[in-house]
Each structure stands twice: as structure tokens, then as C-alpha cells.
Amino acid sequence: MTLNRMDMSIVRISLQAITTLVSLLVVIFSPVLSAEQYDPIPHSTVAMADGAGIIKATLSCPTSRYAHAVLGDDIEAGCLALQVEDGDVLVHQLPDNQVFEDLVPHIADFDGNGINDVAVVRSDNAYGAALALYTISENNEVEELGSTPPIGRANRWLAPVGVADFNGDDQLDIAYVQTPHIGGILKIWTFIDGTLEQIAQMRGFSNHSIRSTRVSTSKIADHNNDGIMDIALPDQRRQKTVWVTLSPKVSPELHVIDELAYDEAYFE
């Protein structure tokens, strides 16, 4: 069978249409996207790190679907854009009943496998905030590594303090203050045998002021020079700065090692 010029033109147009359709489908369904497509939400910090796994984390997809406004405005993040070491950007979208109620993602190797993970505050319309950890799977997809239990009711929040080895076991831990505006509880979590577990807590702290864009008024340093990182936080009434440690050289539980008059400039 031979094709005339009109037939050949139709074939060329059909092939061009198929090529265009395939290109559009790739753009729509591919999870690997450009970092420029995901701007950070207002007041947020784009986290950066070296190493394998996650090297950049951006809180993006602004939304006002969670009516809390504890961080300065009513805009929260509906997605988390994660850039990996080869340059790919993978995006984790939350369902409509959840947001990332955070401004500062924390990148670290939480499970000790040599690959960077990220920790962010994830809030639910019914159950409030939890600390969620994400990593990149072997299939190059974002997957949840673990999470703390949600606080249990809407508009209850937690303020991350930071990441360090707080008990000298060569494993990174993460600390936060749960409900810093109403009876704040300092909690420290770590991975034990592949599971995220709480290892310590102490009441009486307030590291965040309502509607402030400063997520945490806190400091992490080896305050007593014993080789283990300690935590400084304002007390609940913001009259004192309290240094606490989880060092086994001092106590197997969180223990106060110093108290100072509160001065916000101390935390700069």
C-alpha cells in the first residue's frame, strides 16, 4: 500500500499529537519535579544539608485550610518538597485534613543508616500536631520513617527545639516542647531498633509565643562541659532560662543543671 501526500501529512500530525500527549502525561504524573516549582511558604526556612539522601527541604503549597494561625499568619504548608543528592525533587502532598504546621524543617540522619531524613510538624484537623519523619526509599519515593503520637485534639501544637545526641549514645535525638503555650512539656525522641521512641520528658517550659514566626526560643550546647549536648529553654512564665541535660553522667532522666534570669537576647 502506498500513501499519498495528504495521507503522509495526516500521519505526521498524528505522530506529533501522540508525542505531545505523552510529554504532557509525563509532566502530570512524574513525582520528580523542578525545585523552582515549589516556593517556600512565608516566614519559613529552606533547610539545607550535605551528604546522601535529602539535601534540601522546602515547606510549600500554601494553604489556609487549618484554622490555627499559631505561627504568625493563617498560611501553612500543604506539601513538602525534598531535593536529593542527584538533583531530583520529590514532593509529599498531605491530604486535605492535614498541614505541615512548621517553618523550619530539620534534616538529619535519624535512623543511623547514613542517609539524610527530615523532621517536620504535621497537624491534623481532628488530632492536632505530631512530629513526622520522612526519608527517601530505595524506589526514590518519599516515605514516612516514623512519627510521634498526635497530641489528641485540634489546635494543639508542638515546637521543635532541635537535633543532637542528647544522651551520649552516638545516636541523633530530636527534642520538642509539646503545647508550649499551655503547660509546655519538653520531650526527647530517638530511634531504637528501627522504632521512634520517647526517651525523656520534663514539664514547665515555653519556647514559643503565640503568633511568633520564631518557632523555638532555645539553645543547644554543652553547657556543663561534659561532652554531651544540653538544652536551654525559657520556663513557663518566661522568668528564668533553664538548662537541662540527659547526660548519664548526671542522671538517667532530664535534670536541671543551671538557671539564669530570663533574657531573650541570650538565645540570639
Side-chain angles (χ1 to χ4, degrees), residues 43 64 162 179 220:
H43 314 298
S64 58
T179 57
I220 297 174

Side-chain angles (χ1 to χ4, degrees), residues 159-197:
V161 172
V163 178
D165 177 7
F166 293 116
N167 60 355
D169 65 352
D170 297 322
Q171 174 81 28
L172 287 178
D173 315 307
I174 187 162
Y176 63 78
V177 175
Q178 179 172 303
T179 57
H181 317 119
I182 45 172
I185 308 169
L186 172 62
K187 296 190 174 188
I188 300 178
W189 292 73
T190 196
F191 266 88
I192 300 175
D193 297 327
T195 302
L196 188 61
E197 295 186 14

Side-chain angles (χ1 to χ4, degrees), residues 66 68 70-71 76 100-103 121-123 127-130 151 153-160 176-182 184-185 207-216:
Y66 188 72
H68 194 197
V70 75
L71 288 169
E76 313 297 349
F100 290 117
E101 197 175 13
D102 203 343
L103 295 175
V121 180
R122 181 181 64 202
S123 293
Y127 302 108
I151 295 173
R153 58 181 295 183
N155 296 343
R156 292 294 182 266
W157 184 67
L158 60 88
Y176 63 78
V177 175
Q178 179 172 303
T179 57
H181 317 119
I182 45 172
I185 308 169
N207 62 330
H208 181 262
S209 299
I210 293 176
R211 299 191 68 83
S212 171
T213 58
R214 180 174 185 167
V215 175
S216 182

Side-chain angles (χ1 to χ4, degrees), residues 25-240:
L25 290 173
V26 169
V27 170
I28 292 170
F29 292 105
S30 174
V32 180
L33 301 161
S34 168
E36 286 72 22
Q37 293 178 259
Y38 291 91
D39 293 328
I41 62 171
H43 314 298
S44 67
T45 297
V46 176
M48 308 286 287
D50 296 322
I54 299 166
I55 62 169
K56 182 178 180 180
T58 305
L59 291 158
S60 191
C61 305
T63 177
S64 58
R65 65 187 182 225
Y66 188 72
H68 194 197
V70 75
L71 288 169
D73 56 31
D74 62 353
I75 302 298
E76 313 297 349
C79 73
L80 181 64
L82 302 175
Q83 183 174 337
V84 294
E85 75 270 23
D86 64 5
D88 287 347
V89 176
L90 308 177
V91 179
H92 182 67
Q93 293 270 1
L94 288 177
D96 289 344
N97 63 315
Q98 295 181 344
V99 297
F100 290 117
E101 197 175 13
D102 203 343
L103 295 175
V104 185
H106 287 80
I107 299 175
D109 177 14
F110 291 104
D111 58 357
N113 68 349
I115 298 175
N116 288 341
D117 316 301
V118 64
V120 283
V121 180
R122 181 181 64 202
S123 293
D124 182 276
N125 284 344
Y127 302 108
L131 189 71
L133 277 61
Y134 296 94
T135 193
I136 305 301
S137 72
E138 293 181 357
N139 297 325
N140 206 36
E141 297 176 345
V142 181
E143 66 178 15
E144 185 171 322
L145 187 62
S147 66
T148 64
I151 295 173
R153 58 181 295 183
N155 296 343
R156 292 294 182 266
W157 184 67
L158 60 88
V161 172
V163 178
D165 177 7
F166 293 116
N167 60 355
D169 65 352
D170 297 322
Q171 174 81 28
L172 287 178
D173 315 307
I174 187 162
Y176 63 78
V177 175
Q178 179 172 303
T179 57
H181 317 119
I182 45 172
I185 308 169
L186 172 62
K187 296 190 174 188
I188 300 178
W189 292 73
T190 196
F191 266 88
I192 300 175
D193 297 327
T195 302
L196 188 61
E197 295 186 14
Q198 182 180 309
I199 57 174
Q201 73 172 42
M202 180 180 282
R203 293 180 176 272
F205 302 100
S206 179
N207 62 330
H208 181 262
S209 299
I210 293 176
R211 299 191 68 83
S212 171
T213 58
R214 180 174 185 167
V215 175
S216 182
T217 300
S218 56
K219 182 178 287 190
I220 297 174
D222 182 11
H223 185 66
N224 59 354
N225 298 312
D226 67 348
I228 294 176
M229 303 302 280
D230 312 307
I231 299 172
L233 294 165
D235 71 346
Q236 191 68 54
R237 296 183 178 181
R238 296 215 165 193
Q239 295 179 342
K240 295 183 293 184

